Amino acid sequence: MCIFCKIVKKEIPNNTVAENDDFLAFHDLYPKAPIHILIIPKVHVDCFQDASPEIMAGLSTFAQEVATKVGVDQTGYRFLTNNGEDGGQEVEHLHFHMLGGGKIA
């Protein structure tokens, strides 16, 4: 079981920002910006390439809600994912990084 699945099952603690039946958002342990949140589906999906349109539609709506909740919806943020080993993906569970809280270089 991957680390994010363990977080979803509450076997590993996290600093939750938002949660619903399908998605979880929590603060990254090693932030690269003043606001650095990871957004994941609760169901295990290895990577973006494997994500269904339904998961992505729900994740998009959830991410917009998270942006509003943390106050970057008006100021702006970077929203990205890494896909596969060559794309820099370190955890094989679909996750997006939301970076904000100031100018992102």
Side-chain angles (χ1 to χ4, degrees):
M1 181 180 311
C2 81
I3 190 168
F4 289 165
C5 286
K6 289 180 180 180
I7 289 171
V8 167
K9 291 181 180 285
K10 306 205 183 307
E11 294 174 9
I12 297 175
N14 72 87
N15 187 356
T16 299
V17 173
E19 181 174 12
N20 66 21
D21 290 341
D22 300 314
F23 303 99
L24 176 65
F26 54 94
H27 290 276
D28 194 296
L29 288 177
Y30 306 102
K32 305 289 189 252
I35 295 173
H36 187 167
I37 297 166
L38 297 175
I39 299 175
I40 65 171
K42 288 185 173 180
V43 61
H44 183 88
V45 176
D46 281 344
C47 63
F48 178 74
Q49 197 64 31
D50 295 339
S52 70
E54 295 78 19
I55 285 178
M56 292 310 304
L59 192 141
S60 294
T61 300
F62 183 73
Q64 291 168 337
E65 293 167 1
V66 170
T68 300
K69 184 170 186 172
V70 300
V72 297
D73 58 316
Q74 298 297 311
T75 58
Y77 56 95
R78 180 172 294 159
F79 192 62
L80 63 101
T81 190
N82 300 318
N83 190 78
E85 185 178 343
D86 286 353
Q89 185 175 358
E90 295 178 8
V91 177
E92 288 186 17
H93 185 122
L94 176 64
H95 60 286
F96 283 79
H97 298 260
M98 180 177 284
L99 303 159
K103 295 280 184 195
I104 305 297

